[in-house]
Amino acid sequence: MKSILKLMVVLSVVAWPQVFCNDIQGGVGKEAIAAGEDKKRKKKKNKEAVSKEVTVLDRWELPDVLTEISGLEHLGGTRFACIQDEQGTIFIYNTASRQIEKEVPFAGAGDFEGIAVAGNTAWVVQSDGKLYEVNNFESAKPAVRSYTTTLTAGHDVEGLTYDKKEDRLLLAIKGREPGSSDYKGIYAFDTGTRKFAPDPVLKINLADPVFQGLKEKKRNSLMQPSEIEIHPQTGDIYVSEGASPKLLVMDADGQKKKLYTLDPDDFPQSEGLAFTPEGELFISNEGKGGKGTIVKVAID
């Protein structure tokens, strides 16, 4: 009997630390879970209120080579011209087949941010403001020329579109304007004369009331353009931001009309804009931990 009592005492002494440790680990695990949930709630609470006027109509996941898609242009039907950050190649993607139909190399490695198409010519811009003209870009041997501008890597050029009415390219900068944090400039390159205007033709005034209520503390961060596009029917100018997904709509004179806050779950990093001739809007997104995407949207 004494032997049995001794054995029970020994077993209880051995088991007690393990029970104590399990209680601690269980408590820590519960605290960690609670902390994680609290973090998620805070993140959701701190997220900008999403504009309900923007509705996702369709979505395409892109091949891995377009994970970092940085520019988008509609070519007609279900075909789009795409570029990505690091490779000097135009990718022709078809949303019907969900495949890349063609690849058009035009340069080596670089930081390519925007694409625009005028007729048979594709234009691509680097973040340092350098422009590439790719003539007959869908032919067997496209002719390529490049042009320097007065913009630099400090301007961080990300947006490019063709302004058919004025026969010019519009370039939007993401970075800081030298000597001013009050606006972001939109610059022009004349496709007829091949000349670049050193002063902005339009300005995104960051003190405009349309930006009131945003959570960014620094004025220069209120709008960081990632792309620019012109609505084919209204002539309005659309400017996207990828860092904190937004869509700004201005009239042709640069007057602000509306700012939409996009849902980061649908638009993790909105980098490209494209319109069909009928005014259908497509937004491309870099894949942040996932696939790059093209999303068709409707704005009420």
Side-chain angles (χ1 to χ4, degrees):
M1 185 68 178
K2 289 182 179 180
S3 298
I4 295 173
L5 290 173
K6 286 182 180 179
L7 180 60
M8 291 176 66
V9 171
V10 170
L11 290 174
S12 64
V13 171
V14 171
W16 179 80
Q18 183 63 44
V19 172
F20 180 72
C21 289
N22 287 342
D23 286 343
I24 293 176
Q25 290 173 353
V28 171
K30 290 177 182 177
E31 289 178 2
I33 292 171
E37 292 300 322
D38 186 54
K39 186 176 181 181
K40 288 180 181 178
R41 283 194 295 269
K42 286 181 178 179
K43 184 177 180 182
K44 188 173 182 180
K45 183 178 180 181
N46 291 333
K47 189 169 68 174
E48 300 286 358
V50 174
S51 300
K52 296 181 180 179
E53 300 96 328
V54 181
T55 304
V56 173
L57 301 177
D58 210 340
R59 182 175 181 272
W60 295 265
E61 288 191 348
L62 299 173
D64 289 345
V65 71
L66 289 175
T67 297
E68 295 191 25
I69 183 172
S70 55
L72 183 72
E73 183 78 336
H74 182 249
L75 297 179
T78 56
R79 303 174 72 243
F80 292 82
C82 312
I83 56 167
Q84 53 109 300
D85 278 351
E86 301 173 349
Q87 187 176 334
T89 300
I90 299 171
F91 299 87
I92 310 300
Y93 179 79
N94 195 317
T95 55
S97 64
R98 297 178 181 267
Q99 293 182 344
I100 295 173
E101 292 184 349
K102 190 174 185 178
E103 298 184 16
V104 184
F106 64 89
D111 186 10
F112 306 99
E113 295 292 349
I115 182 169
V117 173
N120 295 322
T121 300
W123 295 87
V124 179
V125 68
Q126 287 191 159
S127 60
D128 61 1
K130 185 175 182 179
L131 282 165
Y132 290 87
E133 178 185 8
V134 189
N135 287 307
N136 297 313
F137 69 98
E138 291 204 64
S139 66
K141 293 183 178 181
V144 181
R145 295 179 63 184
S146 62
Y147 305 86
T148 57
T149 66
T150 58
L151 300 176
T152 67
H155 289 94
D156 196 2
V157 184
E158 290 216 357
L160 182 70
T161 191
Y162 176 62
D163 182 355
K164 184 177 181 180
K165 183 178 179 181
E166 301 293 339
D167 191 21
R168 64 184 181 180
L169 299 172
L170 295 179
L171 297 81
I173 72 165
K174 176 183 176 182
R176 182 183 295 273
E177 287 285 353
S180 177
S181 60
D182 294 333
Y183 70 93
K184 297 291 177 76
I186 297 175
Y187 294 81
F189 178 87
D190 192 309
T191 54
T193 63
R194 303 299 197 271
K195 290 184 178 180
F196 179 77
D199 297 319
V201 293
L202 295 170
K203 293 182 179 181
I204 300 175
N205 177 13
L206 299 175
D208 192 278
V210 77
F211 297 113
Q212 287 182 359
L214 295 182
K215 297 181 183 298
E216 283 82 354
K217 295 180 180 179
K218 295 182 179 179
R219 176 170 289 182
N220 191 62
S221 300
L222 289 173
M223 189 71 195
Q224 302 179 71
S226 60
E227 187 57 290
I228 182 172
E229 192 62 74
I230 299 175
H231 194 289
Q233 296 178 346
T234 67
D236 286 342
I237 298 170
Y238 285 61
V239 180
S240 64
E241 176 182 329
S244 178
K246 303 182 189 72
L247 186 62
L248 174 66
V249 182
M250 309 185 294
D251 65 19
D253 297 321
Q255 297 299 312
K256 317 303 176 291
K257 298 179 71 172
K258 183 72 175 180
L259 181 68
Y260 300 96
T261 302
L262 305 179
D263 189 337
D265 292 335
D266 294 318
F267 308 93
Q269 189 163 330
S270 49
E271 294 286 335
L273 298 173
F275 281 107
T276 66
E278 295 75 30
E280 295 175 314
L281 177 60
F282 295 79
I283 301 176
S284 62
N285 303 275
E286 285 193 11
K288 295 180 68 175
K291 296 279 191 179
T293 61
I294 294 175
V295 179
K296 182 180 179 181
V297 304
I299 299 179
D300 185 3

